[in-house]
Amino acid sequence: MASQSLDLSGLPQKGPQKPRKKLRFVDVAVTATANEFDGIYRNKKYHAADFVNTLDRAMTAGVEKVMLTGMSLSDVSVNLAIAEARPAQCFVTIGVHPYHAVEMVEGGPAYLEKLAESLRAALALTPCPVAAFGELGLDYDRLNHAPKDVQIRAFKAQLNLFVENSWDLPLFLHCRAAFDDFVDVITPYLEKLPRRGLVHSFVGSTAQMQKLVELGFDISVNGFSFQNRESVDMVAVVPPERLQIETDAPWGEIKSGSDVAKRYLANAPPLPPSKKRDKWDAACMVKERNESCTIERVAYVVAGLKGITVDGVAEAAWKNSVNMFRFGLGTEALAS
């Protein structure tokens, strides 16, 4: 399928140069529990589970920290097991994505208490693998998963739970096609969110991004953020001190034929070899499935849109992610 044309007029014309040194990255959004990492595509099993192989490729690509997104209660044990096996590289979020709002609301107080118990138990582990509370928020693009009123109830219930427990964590937030309601819901809680949080995979206008920054949140971008003109204009002006980057793997692939790729990835290094899902090889990426080793391409596009170096994007994003989520690093690392 041909990539949809994107008007990039008025934006920097040339791709950024290769970095002067080896870069290090945090991928702040990976859904390890997605079917694709279990070899399942459209309900058909093609290959063995291979998430561990993606982590090896990530480390080779300089992705030293990976945050495993918690979508619902069922993700907690899976993500914690990965983090236990990779304690220096992998960290988790624990919470309920708006797609799972129905199971949370129908589960009532018992579901919320189980969520709280799961988080308390994970916070007590040594080393502590928990980086954030979430993923929570609103998504009106996919109302087939949960209607608006149910999503809002689940969002508020989790914010109330978080405040009641005074957890020393940032929030990992989702806001898609629901900006006004998102701001209305979260604003009354702001003074009780001392570490604020990250609005991840953000696709929206410059004015919306600026409002989120004004409220104290960081903004994370990925391939989804490069798909329309309004959003690329937003990426171009995200303040460097509030910028984080991610892949949102296994989704969010930057298509090689897209306009941003053709313009801004000219000097990007080649990705590892890939094969189709039915020709799976543990040493290769799977075609059309995204993974953390591609994050440098996100940095290249952001650098291109901003007209700055890839080094500058990577260093700012690393610092912002480590300062927010800590990842078990000491105070010296946080300050550097």
Side-chain angles (χ1 to χ4, degrees):
M1 182 183 295
S3 299
Q4 185 175 357
S5 179
L6 178 62
D7 174 21
L8 297 176
S9 59
L11 292 164
Q13 296 294 308
K14 294 183 178 180
Q17 296 301 307
K18 292 180 180 179
R20 297 184 300 273
K21 60 184 179 182
K22 182 171 174 59
L23 303 177
R24 57 182 180 175
F25 296 100
V26 177
D27 190 350
V28 295
V30 175
T31 305
T33 54
N35 282 339
E36 289 86 344
F37 290 129
D38 200 30
I40 299 170
Y41 305 80
R42 297 182 181 177
N43 298 315
K44 181 179 177 181
K45 180 84 169 180
Y46 283 86
H47 60 77
D50 65 345
F51 188 69
V52 66
N53 303 110
T54 76
L55 291 175
D56 292 339
R57 285 189 287 273
M59 188 62 76
T60 300
V63 187
E64 297 181 14
K65 308 294 176 184
V66 176
M67 201 153 75
L68 309 177
T69 303
M71 301 284 282
S72 69
L73 271 174
S74 62
D75 285 2
V76 176
S77 60
V78 178
N79 285 341
L80 286 177
I82 296 170
E84 182 180 9
R86 298 267 184 150
Q89 186 183 21
C90 293
F91 297 81
V92 307
T93 78
I94 294 177
V96 181
H97 189 285
Y99 287 179
H100 295 269
V102 170
E103 71 182 66
M104 175 183 223
V105 170
E106 289 182 348
Y111 191 104
L112 275 172
E113 181 53 33
K114 189 171 182 182
L115 179 64
E117 288 174 358
S118 296
L119 183 50
R120 291 187 198 110
L123 286 169
L125 295 172
T126 303
C128 180
V130 184
F133 181 67
E135 179 173 359
L136 71 163
L138 301 173
D139 189 318
Y140 293 173
D141 260 355
R142 301 284 182 88
L143 293 174
N144 56 304
H145 292 288
K148 293 180 181 180
D149 62 317
V150 173
Q151 289 190 35
I152 290 172
R153 285 175 62 190
F155 191 15
K156 288 181 177 178
Q158 289 184 88
L159 288 169
N160 288 333
L161 184 71
F162 183 82
V163 169
E164 287 164 7
N165 284 274
S166 300
W167 284 313
D168 181 25
L169 292 168
L171 299 182
F172 187 74
L173 294 156
H174 183 103
C175 177
R176 184 67 55 87
F179 184 80
D180 291 342
D181 283 355
F182 178 90
V183 171
D184 286 346
V185 170
I186 205 164
T187 297
Y189 295 89
L190 291 177
E191 63 182 35
K192 296 179 180 179
L193 306 175
R195 291 179 61 187
R196 288 297 197 271
L198 175 70
V199 181
H200 103 99
S201 189
F202 190 64
V203 177
S205 69
T206 296
Q208 290 173 344
M209 176 275 293
Q210 290 170 336
K211 178 64 176 178
L212 294 172
V213 167
E214 177 190 316
L215 295 177
F217 297 109
D218 278 16
I219 306 295
S220 183
V221 300
N222 57 35
F224 290 121
S225 310
F226 310 143
Q227 293 182 354
N228 64 65
R229 182 58 195 252
E230 180 182 59
S231 194
V232 296
D233 284 341
M234 177 273 297
V235 174
V237 294
V238 175
E241 68 273 14
R242 292 298 184 84
L243 171 71
Q244 299 189 39
I245 60 175
E246 61 178 76
T247 62
D248 205 24
W251 313 290
E253 178 189 22
I254 301 173
K255 301 292 186 183
S256 59
S258 67
D259 291 302
V260 292
K262 287 185 286 188
R263 180 177 292 191
Y264 298 126
L265 297 182
N267 296 317
L271 293 174
S274 63
K275 292 186 177 182
K276 292 182 178 180
R277 62 193 68 162
D278 58 349
K279 305 291 185 183
W280 178 80
D281 182 332
C284 297
M285 295 178 65
V286 176
K287 286 185 181 296
E288 299 182 350
R289 184 188 74 177
N290 202 15
E291 57 180 81
S292 288
C293 69
T294 70
I295 198 167
E296 188 169 355
R297 296 164 76 84
V298 178
Y300 263 84
V301 175
V302 173
L305 291 169
K306 288 183 167 295
I308 62 176
T309 66
V310 181
D311 307 62
V313 170
E315 288 166 7
W318 170 273
K319 181 178 180 180
N320 296 336
S321 296
V322 170
N323 282 341
M324 177 170 286
F325 299 113
R326 299 179 181 170
F327 303 121
L329 297 175
T331 53
E332 290 182 7
L334 296 178
S336 64

